[in-house]
Amino acid sequence: SPLAGVQVFNNAVSAFSKAESVVQQQHDQISRLAKEAPSEAKTVEMQKCLLAVSQSLSGLIDPALALGNAGSTPLSKDQLSYVPEFSQSFLSLYFNIEAIGKIVTGLKKDQLAQVQPELELILSPAVPLARLVLAFINVSASAHAEAFLSVSHPLRNIYALLKLVVDLDVKLGLEIFISNPSPVPKTSKPLSFGILGAADIAPAAIILPAKSHPDVVLQTVAARDLAKATTYAQKHGIPDVAKTYQDILDDPNIDCVYIPLPNGLHYIWAQRALKAGKHVLLEKPSVNNSTEAERLFLSPAPGLPRSPSSHSQPVLLEATHSLFHPAWALFMSHITPSAVASAKSSLWVPRWFFGADNIRFNFDLGGGALMDLGAYTASALTHIFDAVAEECVSCETSTHPGTDPRVDRCFHARYRFPNGGVGEMEGDFKAPLLKFSPEIYVTHKPVVVDAAEVDTKLRQGEEVLRTREIRFTNYVLPSAFHSITVHDQFAVREKGASQGTSPRKSWKKSKTLKAYTWRETGLSGFDTQPGEPHWSTYRNQLEQFVNKVRGRDTPQWIDGKDSVNTMRMIDMAYTAAKLPLRPTCEEQV
Ligand SMILES: NC(=O)C1=CN([C@@H]2O[C@H](COP(=O)(O)OP(=O)(O)OC[C@H]3O[C@@H](n4cnc5c(N)ncnc54)[C@H](OP(=O)(O)O)[C@@H]3O)[C@@H](O)[C@H]2O)C=CC1
Ligand SMILES: O=C1OC[C@@H](O)[C@H](O)[C@H]1O
């Protein structure tokens, strides 16, 4: 919790220093063992060493998570003086993990097989742990961030080793670690934003992105408790505090509001904000169900007053931030929606993230894994198929012990789409550590492609068919790291030949792509879009939101129909799972 304050830094320094010395000792022991002739005793010893390292890394999870959550906690002068020492133990730990990985993967195949599970336990948490530390350092000790960046070297190798051991393919960009862009000077009349609720997500989603947007000032926040809002405002450098959410809506100097309330309150507060003429950035999932979505997005209340800075009706956007990152556009440019045969989107949250008292387990507040994680997995499917599903064929869910039986902890849903393709999605609030990265996997039916594009000469009456598979790793937070792997299989055959006919010629082509900026996508129409490699999904989202409010082009946009489609997918899944839909708000604004 951010309220745990700076203590978290002290805990982390001591935990990393302890882990460093254990891992150093085990590394020495493992190097010695690797030189010995193979024997059962050697294997057992090696397993023990690897487990000791793994145990040490497990001990880092809590302190590192606390660091990651502490966000912008300022460090005292005294603490800052320990940062170089901290960077030493952090880096030494990672160089030793890398070295252990190299030694063990260098063993003969049969010996490696015997210690592989233990090795996975070391390599898999290494990257997420590093990310948490870097997130903290970037914000709270940014002057020292450079020193920590040398970790990118062992991390790249750790990824390569993971690929070798568990066939997990991730392409890493160094720039990913700079998540705290410098503040920029503001325009003469920037858009003034207010936040409804002192929510956990707001620093990442709006407070930090606003600092580097010249046309945005984060002016005010309200919480149900004034003291909480005041502390929050001080911590995040927000100039004003409003007594109530409604006070923000009544303030004529506020142009836009960000609504990070529990899902069950999204509909009513979005309606109130629109009525007050505010532009609305509304957290996902947009509302509680598709009835609310249709009312909110498809039948806007008539006669809404104009916002002072807008040229038309207020803007309303569901904050599906991941769809605003250049990587999403690059991924979609490799999809042919009409030819998608199957698509599966997954998203997991490690089990320690949310306790049973979290809003996500509260039915009345719109809780449930399908609501929360499903907002990403379902919207991804509707974009990939460019359609909403015709039917949810099946949906299995489970609940978390001691929580409301109407609230799903995890789900696995299958859909039929209008083109005959099959969509699948799964998510879990209580996933094991190793299931970390969100992923999308898409297969296509064969499509005819231009022979010149694939550098092939055709004979009379022939055509080239391409059958494509794509995997997008970390589609939810691609700014942290991502990879898009495209596998194409080509076949030259007689036009119209039946599927079983052998091709005259066939070949395969694979590529792994990434895009942290619009320029890197190489896509036309996006080249004038600003962006830095370290821009988060939220920063990219804010850019487009402001463009829309200002009446400028928005090359990347999610309209109300998309949000309605997502809620239709979620409703269908709940119905198939025989769980009730979250309640519809009947209050009139
Ligand atoms: N885009 C993204 O990446 C993410 C989006 N989200 C979305 O943001 C929203 C908030 O999530 P998160 O920040 O994790 O949640 P929090 O619990 O931290 O924030 C919810 C906010 O709602 C306010 N609130 C108002 N009424 C209630 C009530 N009856 N019970 C509880 N809280 C209430 C809280 O109050 P107060 O007024 O007291 O401050 C609190 O600040 C959700 O819709 C979630 O799906 C969440 C995480 C990531
Ligand atoms: O990005 C996210 O990941 C975890 C979720 O629970 C959260 O609400 C979501 O937006």
Side-chain angles (χ1 to χ4, degrees):
S1 151
L3 299 180
V6 293
Q7 184 60 34
V8 298
F9 175 75
N10 299 354
N11 292 346
V13 171
S14 117
F16 271 81
S17 153
K18 268 190 220 141
E20 182 218 344
S21 67
V22 173
V23 174
Q24 174 72 59
Q25 282 163 18
Q26 299 304 328
H27 164 259
D28 296 347
Q29 176 77 342
I30 289 168
S31 334
R32 196 183 50 71
L33 283 168
K35 289 180 196 131
E36 284 181 8
S39 72
E40 205 173 306
K42 169 182 162 173
T43 304
V44 171
E45 272 306 297
M46 187 77 96
Q47 285 168 335
K48 274 192 194 158
C49 290
L50 292 171
L51 282 174
V53 175
S54 153
Q55 200 178 12
S56 245
L57 295 188
S58 303
L60 292 178
I61 291 171
D62 280 345
L65 268 174
L67 270 193
N69 286 337
S72 55
T73 301
L75 294 178
S76 68
K77 236 177 158 184
D78 200 31
Q79 285 178 312
L80 280 171
S81 70
Y82 282 106
V83 177
E85 201 179 298
F86 182 36
S87 76
Q88 287 306 316
S89 39
F90 174 75
L91 292 173
S92 148
L93 177 76
Y94 274 89
F95 279 102
N96 274 317
I97 295 172
E98 177 200 14
I100 291 172
K102 282 182 175 168
I103 296 170
V104 178
T105 49
L107 292 173
K108 291 220 163 63
K109 223 173 164 188
D110 54 332
Q111 292 174 53
L112 171 60
Q114 287 175 307
V115 294
Q116 185 159 321
E118 289 80 8
L119 181 61
E120 282 176 40
L121 283 176
I122 295 172
L123 297 179
S124 306
V127 178
L129 277 172
R131 289 221 314 262
L132 292 164
V133 173
L134 291 160
F136 177 84
I137 293 294
N138 277 322
V139 180
S140 294
S142 51
H144 297 272
E146 197 85 346
F148 283 77
L149 285 185
S150 332
V151 78
S152 68
H153 179 78
L155 282 186
R156 273 174 211 278
N157 288 331
I158 289 170
Y159 270 128
L161 293 166
L162 267 173
K163 164 87 185 140
L164 199 78
V165 177
V166 282
D167 201 24
L168 174 72
D169 191 2
V170 184
K171 203 164 185 181
L172 185 70
L174 213 201
E175 54 282 1
I176 63 173
F177 298 125
I178 310 160
S179 59
N180 188 26
S182 317
V184 296
K186 304 292 172 178
T187 57
S188 57
K189 273 198 168 170
L191 294 168
S192 184
F193 276 63
I195 310 179
L196 272 52
D200 284 349
I201 184 57
I206 190 91
I207 298 173
L208 200 54
K211 290 188 181 169
S212 68
H213 199 303
D215 204 17
V216 172
V217 164
L218 203 50
Q219 192 60 34
T220 188
V221 61
R224 290 166 299 170
D225 168 24
L226 187 59
K228 179 184 174 193
T230 307
T231 310
Y232 190 88
Q234 276 166 357
K235 175 170 182 215
H236 297 292
I238 302 171
D240 299 338
V241 172
K243 281 207 188 93
T244 64
Y245 302 156
Q246 187 61 43
D247 282 355
I248 294 187
L249 303 187
D250 293 340
D251 182 345
N253 296 316
I254 295 294
D255 303 301
C256 311
V257 291
Y258 168 60
I259 306 185
L261 296 171
N263 308 334
L265 298 174
H266 286 182
Y267 174 83
I268 190 66
W269 282 103
Q271 288 285 27
R272 287 175 184 156
L274 291 170
K275 187 173 180 196
K278 307 301 179 196
H279 302 287
V280 177
L281 180 58
L282 178 62
E283 259 313 334
K284 43 60 53 184
S286 59
V287 285
N288 256 4
N289 55 48
S290 62
T291 306
E292 284 192 351
E294 284 159 19
R295 287 181 190 164
L296 181 64
F297 290 99
L298 304 185
S299 42
L304 291 174
R306 279 169 171 237
S307 156
S309 52
S310 143
H311 306 289
S312 59
Q313 295 278 312
V315 170
L316 168 63
L317 175 66
E318 178 188 3
T320 19
H321 57 108
S322 47
L323 307 183
F324 288 87
H325 193 271
W328 179 262
L330 180 62
F331 165 71
M332 283 304 295
S333 73
H334 287 80
I335 299 280
T336 312
S338 59
V340 171
S342 72
K344 181 171 180 181
S345 53
S346 318
L347 176 55
W348 304 283
V349 173
R351 59 177 172 264
W352 61 83
F353 249 63
F354 303 123
D357 58 347
N358 191 278
I359 53 169
R360 288 163 182 77
F361 289 103
N362 185 317
F363 182 82
D364 295 325
L365 294 178
L370 271 163
M371 294 288 289
D372 185 83
L373 308 175
Y376 293 104
T377 55
S379 76
L381 291 181
T382 60
H383 282 87
I384 291 164
F385 283 98
D386 193 20
V388 70
E390 285 179 340
E391 186 193 359
C392 179
V393 185
S394 65
C395 178
E396 293 97 45
T397 57
S398 311
T399 50
H400 186 55
T403 59
D404 190 322
R406 296 168 298 175
V407 175
D408 47 312
R409 175 213 103 182
C410 62
F411 62 87
H412 184 180
R414 285 173 215 82
Y415 298 90
R416 186 171 38 78
F417 278 85
N419 73 350
V422 174
E424 217 181 315
M425 59 186 216
E426 61 178 17
D428 192 347
F429 276 148
K430 295 278 166 191
L433 173 68
L434 298 185
K435 265 190 164 185
F436 193 77
S437 223
E439 193 172 86
I440 295 178
Y441 177 63
V442 182
T443 67
H444 287 81
K445 299 170 207 161
V447 291
V448 177
V449 292
D450 186 355
E453 261 178 42
V454 288
D455 228 3
T456 294
K457 286 212 169 62
L458 295 179
R459 294 178 189 161
Q460 186 74 22
E462 283 183 339
E463 63 187 3
V464 191
L465 291 174
R466 185 195 67 210
T467 312
R468 171 168 283 176
E469 288 173 30
I470 308 185
R471 193 178 296 279
F472 186 178
T473 303
N474 204 11
Y475 68 99
V476 172
L477 277 180
S479 42
F481 72 85
H482 65 270
S483 80
I484 302 167
T485 311
V486 184
H487 294 297
D488 287 335
Q489 177 140 13
F490 296 94
V492 173
R493 56 163 217 189
E494 294 275 315
K495 273 186 194 161
S498 61
Q499 272 224 323
T501 318
S502 319
R504 175 174 66 80
K505 184 176 155 195
S506 67
W507 69 100
K508 289 180 180 171
K509 207 169 170 187
S510 296
K511 53 187 177 181
T512 300
L513 309 168
K514 68 175 174 75
Y516 289 89
T517 59
W518 292 106
R519 187 164 311 152
E520 223 182 326
T521 64
L523 298 172
S524 64
F526 292 102
D527 32 1
T528 54
Q529 284 306 301
E532 299 292 332
H534 55 263
W535 273 20
S536 65
T537 50
Y538 308 103
R539 179 61 182 82
N540 280 290
Q541 172 179 266
L542 185 63
E543 187 71 21
Q544 298 307 328
F545 182 76
V546 171
N547 281 348
K548 194 67 152 187
V549 170
R550 291 300 196 193
R552 293 192 286 261
D553 277 351
T554 47
Q556 192 80 332
W557 192 249
I558 307 303
D559 67 24
K561 219 173 103 271
D562 293 310
S563 298
V564 173
N565 283 347
T566 302
M567 290 320 301
R568 287 184 181 151
M569 297 279 290
I570 293 173
D571 282 8
M572 277 186 234
Y574 275 131
T575 306
K578 300 197 169 38
L579 287 175
L581 304 188
R582 278 58 196 143
T584 303
C585 171
E586 296 298 351
E587 194 179 326
Q588 300 288 324
V589 284

